[in-house]
Amino acid sequence: MSGASEVVTRRVPMIRPGTFVALGLAIAALGLSWLDPFAGEGDPVAMVSTNSPARRVFPTLGDEDSSKATIELQPAGQPLIRMVPGPDGGHQLLRGETLLGPVDDDAFEGLWSSLRMGTALRPVDRGVKVRTNSRGFVRVALPHASLTLELGERLQGIGVYGRINGADEAWVIESELEWLLDQPAETWLARRLLPFEPDAIASVTFERDATGEREALVLARGQDGFWRVEAGARPALLSTDAVEFKLGRLLRAQLDPWIEPEPNPGEPPRPTLVVTNLEGESRALLLLGECPGQPDRQVVDRGVGLRGCLPAELFDPWLLFDADGGMVEGRLVPHRYGRIVQIDQLGPAKRSLIRR
């Protein structure tokens, strides 16, 4: 047969000298990392143990609802301190059987976090005799269970001996949990005057005098969100920013110092100020005269529990119609620009501007 034929050739790749150089450097680096001639002799090997005996004091507390828990702090030789769920949410603080007032929300969250994360560092050898109830105890009462930590002798710089839920085994507990028993009851008490924010207030009522003969001044937030004079003065549209600024100073004021309530068998005083929020919850405040030793401060009663002192200037009358007070709304259209969807012109010709 005769025909064309095709010869196929394959090119053999050539190894360049640079490849040998790179290979040599890689072998040298591997040898240095393996032999490590620069390492000092006798260097200890760093090792991490995963068999630590440490454990959470209350390991199941993270799954519980703190709003339903009662926390008891019993320092040795001192009255029992209890934080019990309140009827309107939050917790109430009791020292013995005496109600001191509402518990500060942030303080309670910090306490709950300390109990939830509290750590037992190591068990105590069974041959060592220690007292585990000399400092007092911490108890968390839940709807279905009760958790108790007894605290005893202190280990300098290490922790404190403790016993968990009455078990026979004693533990070394971190010092943070011992610190809880060193705090006076007032540490957990809410110092803020009222737990409301200004934008959540629906109305404020000011009593004009102690006899109540004159009409009270009532400021209220309307359905459109604007504050108006509702009673006690001529009608007026008020500046929302000005009203909420004054409310913010008052509501966020910190009570200090604390004053024990005195029994008053006579007729209770009329409230100086009544604040009602958008949910219809009202709080009445009473002014009971000068704070002992501080004539520029007033004793304030915010309900059952301890009384506190605040600067008297916070309760000065609001000068609604003072030319320099800025309380009356001065803008022709007080609505925010973004909320205006239509403007109607009634004359001389009827026209409308509509936001689409």
Side-chain angles (χ1 to χ4, degrees):
M1 297 179 60
S2 63
S5 63
E6 180 181 357
V7 178
V8 178
T9 61
R10 178 178 298 176
R11 183 179 180 183
V12 178
M14 300 294 292
I15 301 177
R16 299 179 180 181
T19 302
F20 292 103
V21 175
L23 180 61
L25 291 175
I27 294 173
L30 181 62
L32 286 175
S33 63
W34 179 264
L35 299 176
D36 197 5
F38 304 105
E41 296 184 0
D43 289 346
V45 179
M47 302 188 67
V48 178
S49 173
T50 59
N51 298 319
S52 171
R55 50 156 289 188
R56 298 285 185 218
V57 175
F58 301 133
T60 62
L61 207 58
D63 300 326
E64 301 294 344
D65 185 357
S66 62
S67 65
K68 300 178 180 179
T70 294
I71 298 180
E72 298 180 353
L73 305 175
Q74 176 61 81
Q78 301 293 326
L80 176 66
I81 300 172
R82 290 188 296 153
M83 304 178 200
V84 302
D88 301 323
H91 283 71
Q92 297 290 325
L93 181 67
L94 293 94
R95 180 171 53 199
E97 298 300 323
T98 304
L99 178 60
L100 301 184
V103 176
D104 181 79
D105 291 338
D106 292 337
F108 185 84
E109 287 300 322
L111 172 60
W112 184 260
S113 179
S114 295
L115 295 176
R116 180 172 56 86
M117 302 297 293
T119 304
L121 303 176
R122 60 177 175 82
V124 179
D125 296 336
R126 293 187 177 277
V128 179
K129 294 184 178 180
V130 296
R131 296 176 60 194
T132 57
N133 60 356
S134 59
R135 295 281 297 165
F137 68 80
V138 178
R139 178 178 294 126
V140 181
L142 301 165
H144 55 85
S146 180
L147 309 174
T148 303
L149 171 64
E150 301 174 9
L151 296 174
E153 300 176 31
R154 180 182 301 167
L155 286 78
Q156 185 66 32
I158 301 177
V160 59
Y161 289 124
R163 197 180 304 276
I164 303 170
N165 294 328
D168 294 335
E169 186 179 32
W171 286 78
V172 176
I173 310 296
E174 64 178 353
S175 302
E176 182 180 355
L177 295 180
E178 177 195 23
W179 172 84
L180 300 178
L181 297 180
D182 295 335
Q183 307 306 308
E186 290 80 6
T187 300
W188 315 108
L189 195 58
R191 292 185 176 273
R192 179 169 170 165
L193 180 60
L194 290 177
F196 298 150
E197 290 297 331
D199 58 1
I201 303 302
S203 68
V204 183
T205 301
F206 300 86
E207 292 290 344
R208 286 300 187 93
D209 54 27
T211 63
E213 295 177 355
R214 298 177 60 184
E215 184 181 7
L217 174 64
V218 181
L219 309 181
R221 189 194 299 269
Q223 292 294 330
D224 55 4
F226 293 120
W227 283 88
R228 293 177 173 83
V229 178
E230 191 171 273
R234 71 174 186 265
L237 179 66
L238 302 177
S239 168
T240 299
D241 292 340
V243 172
E244 292 189 353
F245 173 76
K246 284 185 171 292
L247 280 176
R249 289 190 61 215
L250 180 64
L251 300 177
R252 297 167 184 155
Q254 302 288 306
L255 295 165
D256 182 65
W258 295 114
I259 306 294
E260 291 283 351
E262 300 177 358
N264 184 13
E267 182 179 355
R270 294 179 59 86
T272 304
L273 183 67
V274 179
V275 179
T276 303
N277 65 10
L278 295 173
E279 298 178 356
E281 181 183 359
S282 295
R283 301 290 181 89
L285 303 176
L286 307 178
L287 287 186
L288 303 176
E290 293 182 358
C291 188
Q294 302 184 47
D296 59 337
R297 299 173 73 85
Q298 286 280 330
V299 177
V300 181
D301 185 346
R302 58 179 176 180
V304 179
L306 297 179
R307 297 163 179 172
C309 294
L310 287 178
E313 63 182 14
L314 291 175
F315 298 95
D316 290 342
W318 291 11
L319 303 178
L320 300 181
F321 303 104
D322 183 74
D324 299 324
M327 294 297 296
V328 176
E329 179 59 68
R331 294 174 295 175
L332 177 62
V333 181
H335 296 276
R336 292 183 177 88
Y337 174 76
R339 294 180 56 86
I340 298 175
V341 296
Q342 181 172 336
I343 301 176
D344 295 322
Q345 176 180 297
L346 302 180
K350 291 185 177 182
R351 295 174 181 173
S352 295
L353 297 177
I354 302 175
R355 184 195 298 271
R356 297 297 188 186

